[in-house]
């Protein structure tokens, strides 16, 4: 008799459906409207950094030691704006991949409703990042042409674990650095608010991306797993190397040629990237996605 009181849909509900229901409940109780939560009206206070200085691509170099505090702050503002612009670019790719994934599925299901909720949050994030970059006094940074075209192909062709693991890489890398920025009182307050909003809402997206990656890999054979491991690694390399546009140095009033050379050789920044990705690499290893060919690209991007 006791079993008759259990609703059939609850008995038959797959684990991923339970996850998306919990994510929907979280989004209903803990969500932000950047249009009202972020202080867009107060003029930019140039006494603040745009990001934690330790995350600057020049931090720890000889050139950084020569810069004035004003130059350092301007550089971190330009770099933060570049990271935001890259975030917009990839969020547009993400939205299209997720929408394509649920295109013909049951719109009454929790999975589809969560996917639409995630897309709505990403749309708000993109607008928030755009307004934030503009307020930081930066131009519209865009990835180089090859990255744009590779992104165009990726959003069209990637599916299953390739799509969701690449989404996870972009979100995890941003998450670690933004957790530092949102707590750092040296960072301009409105940027800290932006980072806090993004960290809170992206935590849901990362849970979903991890679950979807594992779910899709459950049906993947060894050949598909090896191919997609390489695709994910290449996508990760393109995303990470596009985060800081080379134009930030000239726009910060620096010697661009020297800055680019020192940033490229900056061991401190490489170490920061590796430490930020330790959890991500553990996940990819557990999913058997760290194949030898894939490791080449992760090492080139200084993610491992």
């Amino acid at each position: 008799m006791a079993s008759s009181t259990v609703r059939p849909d609850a008995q038959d509900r797959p684990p991923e459906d339970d996850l998306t229901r919990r994510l929907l409940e979280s989004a209903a109780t803990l969500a932000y409207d950047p249009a009202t939560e972020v202080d867009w009206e107060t003029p930019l206070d140039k006494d603040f950094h745009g990001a934690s200085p330790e995350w600057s691509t020049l931090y720890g170099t000889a050139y950084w030691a020569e810069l004035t505090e004003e130059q350092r702050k301007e550089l971190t503002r330009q770099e933060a704006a570049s990271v935001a612009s890259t975030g917009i670019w990839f969020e547009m790719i993400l939205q299209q991949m997720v929408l394509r994934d649920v295109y013909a599925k049951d719109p009454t299901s929790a999975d589809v409703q969560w996917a639409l909720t995630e897309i709505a949050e990403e749309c708000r994030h993109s607008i928030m990042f755009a307004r934030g970059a503009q307020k930081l006094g930066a131009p519209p940074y865009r990835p180089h042409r090859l990255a744009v075209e590779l992104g165009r192909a990726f959003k069209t062709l990637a599916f299953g674990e390739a799509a969701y693991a690449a989404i996870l890489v972009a979100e995890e890398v941003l998450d670690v650095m933004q957790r530092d920025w949102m707590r750092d009182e040296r960072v301009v307050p409105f940027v800290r608010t932006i980072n806090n909003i993004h960290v809170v809402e992206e935590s849901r997206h990362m849970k979903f991306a991890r679950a979807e990656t594992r779910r899709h890999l459950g049906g993947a054979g060894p050949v598909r797993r090896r191919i997609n491991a390489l695709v994910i690694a290449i996508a990760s390399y393109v995303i990470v190397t596009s985060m800081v546009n080379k134009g930030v140095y000239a726009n910060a009033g620096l010697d661009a040629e020297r800055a680019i050379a020192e940033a490229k050789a900056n061991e401190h920044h490489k170490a920061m990237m590796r430490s930020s990705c330790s959890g991500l690499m553990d996940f990819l290893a557990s999913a058997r996605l760290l194949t030898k060919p894939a490791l080449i690209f992760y090492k080139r991007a200084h993610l491992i």
Side-chain angles (χ1 to χ4, degrees):
M1 287 294 292
S3 62
S4 66
T5 63
V6 180
R7 291 177 56 186
D9 61 339
Q11 288 179 303
D12 300 335
R13 186 182 301 156
E16 58 268 22
D17 193 53
D18 287 338
L19 172 63
T20 49
R21 287 178 186 277
R22 291 197 302 272
L23 294 174
L24 282 167
E25 290 170 3
S26 173
T29 57
L30 187 59
Y32 298 93
D33 180 0
T36 56
E37 296 281 350
V38 181
D39 179 7
W40 300 114
E41 303 303 321
T42 302
L44 174 66
D45 187 342
K46 293 190 175 183
D47 287 335
F48 288 91
H49 284 275
S52 296
E54 293 78 9
W55 276 101
S56 173
T57 55
L58 287 183
Y59 184 87
T61 65
Y63 201 0
W64 178 268
E66 296 173 18
L67 300 179
T68 65
E69 273 302 301
E70 290 72 20
Q71 287 175 312
R72 292 173 180 177
K73 290 170 183 175
E74 181 59 33
L75 174 60
T76 61
R77 288 194 293 267
Q78 293 295 322
E79 288 176 320
S82 178
V83 170
S85 295
T86 302
I88 295 168
W89 167 64
F90 192 75
E91 283 178 345
M92 289 183 177
I93 294 173
L94 180 159
Q95 290 167 43
Q96 292 177 74
M97 290 193 298
V98 172
L99 192 58
R100 191 180 72 237
D101 188 44
V102 300
Y103 170 67
K105 294 181 180 178
D106 176 6
T108 67
S109 70
D111 279 1
V112 174
Q113 290 177 29
W114 163 251
L116 295 175
T117 300
E118 179 171 345
I119 291 168
E121 289 181 343
E122 295 293 9
C123 285
R124 291 196 297 273
H125 294 169
S126 294
I127 296 169
M128 175 177 71
F129 284 160
R131 294 184 69 181
Q134 186 178 35
K135 186 168 179 175
L136 285 168
Y141 291 112
R142 302 296 299 159
H144 56 76
R145 181 61 181 271
L146 178 59
V148 170
E149 296 308 320
L150 288 172
R152 196 187 306 278
F154 185 74
K155 71 179 177 60
T156 304
L157 301 173
F159 66 94
E161 64 272 16
Y164 282 102
I167 288 170
L168 182 63
V169 169
E171 291 172 339
E172 290 253 10
V173 173
L174 273 175
D175 181 71
V176 174
M177 64 176 67
Q178 288 184 324
R179 284 179 185 273
D180 284 350
W181 302 357
M182 75 184 194
R183 300 186 185 105
D184 194 337
E185 294 185 357
R186 296 169 297 175
V187 175
V188 66
F190 84 91
V191 169
R192 294 177 64 193
T193 303
I194 287 173
N195 291 327
N196 182 67
I197 291 171
H198 197 247
V199 163
V200 170
E201 297 189 341
E202 287 295 332
S203 66
R204 294 190 285 263
H205 304 182
M206 289 189 289
K207 287 179 183 176
F208 184 64
R210 283 175 182 254
E212 286 297 287
T213 298
R214 289 197 182 279
R215 184 174 71 83
H216 284 287
L217 282 170
V223 174
R224 172 176 147 186
R225 187 182 295 268
R226 285 195 295 270
I227 291 172
N228 280 335
L230 182 58
V231 169
I232 294 161
I234 294 171
S236 302
Y237 173 82
V238 174
I239 294 164
V240 170
T241 57
S242 298
M243 280 190 170
V244 178
N245 189 291
K246 292 179 180 179
V248 300
Y249 306 112
N251 290 327
L254 308 186
D255 178 338
E257 186 175 348
R258 180 185 174 188
I260 290 168
E262 294 205 24
K264 187 175 181 180
N266 188 356
E267 292 301 326
H268 170 81
H269 192 258
K270 293 174 186 177
M272 292 286 284
M273 293 300 295
R274 284 192 295 270
S275 65
S276 74
C277 292
S278 59
L280 171 63
M281 292 300 123
D282 287 345
F283 172 77
L284 294 177
S286 71
R288 291 185 290 145
L289 291 171
L290 289 185
T291 60
K292 287 184 178 179
L295 282 170
I296 294 172
F297 287 92
Y298 290 123
K299 288 177 180 177
R300 288 186 64 185
H302 310 296
L303 300 183
I304 196 169

